[in-house]
């Protein structure tokens, strides 16, 4: 494994249905499902529970149902890591020779025998199998708390949160399973961390100060529209993202009329179709991400993601909008669909974790690029960092304060946004990746870590000068790395369009190439090197830094370099 054993649809076999026929028990015996082969999994008990800081309020009602995902580890992961290096090495005969979902599964997915054993074990233990993805990485199950307690040898209880005014559920001990097949993690056993997006409204204290600033966008009061981002970061070229598909990750649904409202209020237009994918039985209701279907809709994040991807790449074939309650399930669906070659995420928390790293590796092996917003709390601390930021197999995006030459005009200047999250953190558990070990990345001026993964990799506009729509209302004064990630996603769709026109594959995991370009002699013609501003701890400096990474894209020149 690259890291510690941590957390991670199409119903497959018709033989695995609602009842448990006799042959299931035969399978249980065949695959050594017995108490002598106990697999012990870790990191399921929140620290506050393990330390006793979170007081236990009650036992969880045994009749209540939970959805879980049983995560199986990859097979031959050392060989996969070697292949990923070759896919990124222009001197390798395997350079950009990406795998299909089936090829990846055959080489690196769990064996069919192991997978069937886990399915059989789940059904024997009273858990309903609700999803069996094509890559055999997850077995989605649902069951009563009583059945889960017995199957995992735990007691799920309700605990008082130490920093938030709510209770959460969690197991009282690390689960064990009477199963001869190793499991990476079981996701869904706790909600100690709630999902959150990386969207902010400008604080009241900044309202008056910002009111005196002359903004240069095409929107109300000079705020930036997605079309302004295309003009600033790409220019007037002919690439539109034609033939390309971008996927968007979301922990919540959205109101489709809010997309229409955004366009009507801004004068922009779009004919790009939006395909909604409801993952693992998700309702699609916009309910602030809590799954209740009763809380007020807040879809400002979802709308800005859609319109900013399309704003950068207005000719996309489609946007695929993935909605679900589990990050592991959504990510795995994106991988097994393998439809969108650029994937954008502006969410953190929830059940994101290091066990999702195998899915990011599958993205890379299949030529998919996963982009993530780093967050809006300044330099990382143990209290403001949240996964998936700092995973070495994704492209992390920070935020800036952009000035253009005028409405619909070109790039003029850019400063680091003070709230842009970045830095490094041992808590994340990731060692410095090979692309950050290159000479010249870590310097005395940028104060990057020599041993840990550093963030961000790149950046784009995300100050409080952007509009969005939420629940039927047009809103202004919003910012966050939430804006930066989809803007870079749309830009990479342009890159993939040009690659296709050259008869080349998609750029896929682009970090290695970006870092090599950043260290090259043409760096300043490819990126806007941002050297002013800070995020409270780290300064924007010449070259790579822990506020803006290598900076923002400098149009056609970077596209040409990425598709050489």
């Amino acid at each position: 494994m690259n890291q510690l054993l941590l957390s991670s649809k199409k119903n497959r076999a018709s033989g695995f249905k609602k009842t448990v026929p006799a042959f299931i028990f035969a399978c249980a015996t065949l695959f050594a499902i017995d108490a002598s082969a106990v697999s012990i999994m870790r990191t399921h008990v929140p620290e506050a529970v393990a330390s006793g800081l979170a007081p236990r309020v009650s036992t969880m009602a045994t009749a209540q149902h939970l959805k879980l995902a049983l995560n199986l580890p990859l097979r031959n992961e050392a060989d996969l890591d070697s292949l990923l290096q070759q896919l990124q090495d222009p001197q390798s005969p395997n350079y950009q020779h990406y795998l299909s979902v089936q090829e990846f599964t055959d080489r690196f997915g769990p064996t069919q025998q192991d997978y069937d054993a886990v399915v059989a074990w789940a059904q024997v233990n009273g858990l309903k199998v609700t999803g069996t993805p094509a890559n055999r990485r997850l077995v989605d199950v649902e069951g009563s708390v009583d059945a889960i307690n017995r199957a995992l040898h735990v007691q799920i209880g309700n605990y008082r949160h130490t920093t938030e005014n709510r209770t959460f559920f969690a197991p009282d001990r690390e689960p064990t399973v009477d199963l001869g097949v190793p499991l990476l993690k079981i996701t869904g056993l706790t909600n100690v961390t709630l999902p959150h997006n990386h969207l902010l409204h400008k604080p009241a204290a900044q309202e008056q100060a910002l009111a005196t600033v002359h903004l240069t966008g095409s929107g109300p009061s000079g705020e930036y529209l997605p079309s302004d981002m295309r003009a600033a970061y790409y220019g007037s070229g002919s690439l539109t993202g034609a033939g390309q598909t971008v996927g968007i990750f979301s922990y919540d649904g959205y109101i489709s009329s809010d997309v229409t409202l955004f366009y009507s209020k801004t004068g922009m237009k779009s004919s790009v179709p939006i395909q909604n994918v409801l993952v693992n039985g998700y309702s699609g209701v916009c309910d602030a991400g809590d799954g209740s279907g009763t809380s007020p809709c807040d879809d400002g994040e979802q709308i800005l993601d859609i319109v900013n991807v399309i704003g950068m790449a207005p000719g996309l074939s489609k946007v695929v909008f993935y909605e679900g309650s589990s990050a592991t399930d959504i990510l795995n669906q994106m991988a097994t669909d393998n439809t969108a070659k650029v994937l954008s995420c502006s969410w953190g928390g929830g059940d994101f974790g290091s066990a999702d790293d195998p899915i990011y590796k599958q993205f890379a092996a299949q030529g998919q690029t996963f982009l993530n917003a780093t967050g809006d709390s300044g330099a990382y601390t143990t209290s403001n960092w949240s996964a998936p930021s700092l995973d070495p197999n994704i492209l992390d995006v920070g935020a800036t304060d952009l000035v253009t030459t005028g409405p619909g005009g070109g790039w003029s200047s850019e400063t680091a946004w003070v709230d842009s999250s970045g830095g490094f953190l041992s808590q994340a558990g990731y060692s410095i990746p090979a692309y950050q070990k290159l000479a010249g990345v870590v310097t005395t001026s940028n104060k990057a870590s020599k041993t840990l993964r550093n963030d961000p990799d790149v950046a784009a506009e995300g100050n409080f000068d952007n509009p969005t729509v939420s629940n039927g209302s047009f809103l202004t004064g919003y910012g966050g790395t939430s804006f930066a990630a989809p803007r870079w996603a749309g830009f990479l769709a342009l890159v993939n369009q040009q690659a296709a026109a050259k008869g080349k594959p998609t750029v896929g995991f682009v970090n290695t190439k970006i870092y090599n370009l950043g260290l090259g002699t043409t760096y300043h013609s490819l990126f806007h090197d941002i050297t002013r501003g800070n995020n409270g701890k780290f300064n924007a400096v010449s070259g790579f830094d822990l506020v803006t990474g290598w900076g923002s894209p400098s149009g056609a020149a970077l596209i040409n370099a990425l598709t050489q």
Side-chain angles (χ1 to χ4, degrees):
M1 297 294 149
N2 186 42
Q3 304 300 331
L4 299 174
L5 290 182
L6 302 169
S7 87
S8 135
K9 100 205 170 260
K10 301 174 185 176
N11 282 333
R12 185 171 45 88
S14 59
F16 294 123
K17 293 273 183 178
K18 303 171 182 171
T19 60
V20 185
F23 80 89
I24 290 292
F25 293 95
C27 287
T29 302
L30 177 62
F31 297 131
I33 304 177
D34 59 65
S36 64
V38 177
S39 299
I40 300 177
M41 297 156 292
R42 301 179 181 176
T43 71
H44 296 79
V45 180
E47 176 61 29
V49 173
S51 65
L53 291 177
R56 187 180 177 95
V57 176
S58 63
T59 58
M60 196 171 192
T62 56
Q64 187 169 340
H65 276 232
L66 296 177
K67 290 183 176 182
L68 308 178
L70 311 178
N71 292 241
L72 284 77
L74 291 172
R75 185 166 45 95
N76 305 326
E77 191 165 10
D79 291 343
L80 173 58
D81 290 341
S82 175
L83 174 63
L84 293 180
Q85 292 179 356
Q86 296 170 47
L87 291 174
Q88 300 157 32
D89 180 2
Q91 306 306 314
S92 170
N94 285 325
Y95 180 58
Q96 294 188 331
H97 287 188
Y98 302 123
L99 304 182
S100 67
V101 175
Q102 187 62 57
E103 288 170 335
F104 181 89
T105 303
D106 289 344
R107 293 179 62 177
F108 306 113
T111 66
Q112 188 69 57
Q113 184 182 46
D114 282 356
Y115 194 74
D116 289 343
V118 176
V119 172
W121 172 87
Q123 294 192 318
V124 165
N125 282 275
L127 303 177
K128 179 183 178 182
V129 176
T130 60
T132 53
N135 61 355
R136 300 196 292 265
R137 281 264 5 273
L138 307 178
V139 178
D140 287 312
V141 299
E142 181 180 350
S144 68
V145 170
D146 179 58
I148 292 169
N149 284 341
R150 287 186 285 106
L152 303 181
H153 309 110
V154 299
Q155 288 293 320
I156 300 177
N158 297 308
Y159 297 84
R160 174 61 58 189
H161 205 285
T162 57
T163 59
E164 301 173 15
N165 185 26
R166 66 180 179 94
T167 59
F168 65 92
F169 64 84
D172 63 342
R173 71 201 74 180
E174 290 302 328
T176 57
V177 292
D178 305 328
L179 175 63
V181 174
L183 292 180
L184 188 60
K185 189 173 181 178
I186 300 175
T187 46
L189 284 175
T190 182
N191 66 341
V192 63
T193 303
L194 296 178
H196 59 270
N197 58 47
H198 296 306
L199 173 64
L200 291 179
H201 188 258
K202 60 177 175 278
Q206 296 186 30
E207 289 277 2
Q208 187 171 2
L210 285 174
T212 63
V213 175
H214 176 64
L215 301 179
T216 56
S218 302
S221 302
E223 291 205 337
Y224 288 122
L225 300 184
S227 55
D228 291 313
M229 297 299 101
R230 176 177 166 84
Y233 291 137
Y234 173 55
S236 57
S238 61
L239 294 173
T240 63
Q244 304 303 309
T245 298
V246 173
I248 295 175
F249 176 105
S250 181
Y251 264 124
D252 201 0
Y254 68 97
I255 302 171
S256 59
S257 60
D258 280 350
V259 178
T260 304
L261 179 61
F262 183 90
Y263 288 123
S264 67
K265 289 290 187 179
T266 60
M268 295 181 63
K269 296 179 180 179
S270 172
S271 59
V272 176
I274 305 169
Q275 175 189 349
N276 298 322
V277 176
L278 306 182
V279 179
N280 197 25
Y282 190 73
S283 69
V285 174
C286 177
D287 57 6
D290 67 1
S292 68
T294 58
S295 61
C297 172
D298 179 5
D299 58 351
E301 174 66 59
Q302 297 86 292
I303 302 306
L304 79 87
D305 284 339
I306 292 169
V307 299
N308 277 279
V309 163
I310 294 174
M312 287 295 295
L316 289 170
S317 293
K318 63 179 174 179
V319 166
V320 183
F321 195 87
Y322 289 88
E323 310 168 30
S325 57
S326 165
T328 301
D329 278 317
I330 298 172
L331 295 171
N332 204 62
Q333 185 73 48
M334 288 173 154
T336 55
D337 284 353
N338 196 21
T339 300
K341 292 300 185 179
V342 178
L343 306 164
S344 180
C345 174
S346 294
W347 294 78
D351 64 340
F352 273 113
S354 296
D356 297 323
D357 192 59
I359 306 176
Y360 303 136
K361 289 184 179 182
Q362 182 169 354
F363 290 152
Q366 295 175 173
Q368 294 173 282
T369 310
F370 186 84
L371 301 95
N372 167 66
T374 60
D376 314 319
S377 302
Y380 289 138
T381 67
T382 55
S383 60
N384 71 18
W385 165 82
S386 62
S389 294
L390 287 173
D391 189 290
N393 292 301
I394 63 180
L395 182 69
D396 276 329
V397 186
T400 68
D401 178 13
L402 171 70
V403 177
T404 65
T405 58
W411 185 93
S412 178
S413 66
E414 213 160 358
T415 307
W417 186 51
V418 68
D419 292 319
S420 180
S421 290
F424 50 86
L425 205 62
S426 60
Q427 175 190 353
Y430 296 111
S431 299
I432 187 169
Y435 53 83
Q436 292 189 336
K437 291 182 180 179
L438 299 171
V441 175
V442 176
T443 66
T444 55
S445 60
N446 64 28
K447 299 181 181 179
S449 173
K450 296 179 180 179
T451 60
L452 300 172
R453 193 329 187 187
N454 297 282
D455 259 359
D457 302 303
V458 291
E461 152 64 29
N463 195 14
F464 296 117
D465 44 21
N466 299 277
T468 187
V469 170
S470 180
N471 204 17
S473 297
F474 185 80
L475 307 171
T476 58
Y478 278 79
T481 53
S482 277
F483 285 92
R487 287 164 175 170
W488 259 97
F491 183 83
L492 288 181
L494 304 182
V495 174
N496 283 343
Q497 179 190 359
Q498 179 156 307
K502 292 182 174 182
K504 295 184 176 183
T506 58
V507 291
F509 181 68
V510 74
N511 294 36
T512 300
K513 182 166 279 191
I514 282 178
Y515 278 77
N516 277 291
L517 291 174
L519 294 167
T521 57
T522 59
Y523 165 56
H524 287 95
S525 67
L526 308 179
F527 294 87
H528 299 119
D529 184 14
I530 301 160
T531 59
R532 294 182 298 151
N534 62 79
N535 62 4
K537 180 178 181 180
F538 300 106
N539 293 321
V541 299
S542 180
F544 177 76
D545 60 64
L546 304 188
V547 196
T548 67
W550 291 105
S552 61
S554 186
L558 180 57
I559 294 175
N560 291 334
L562 289 173
T563 56
Q564 284 181 350

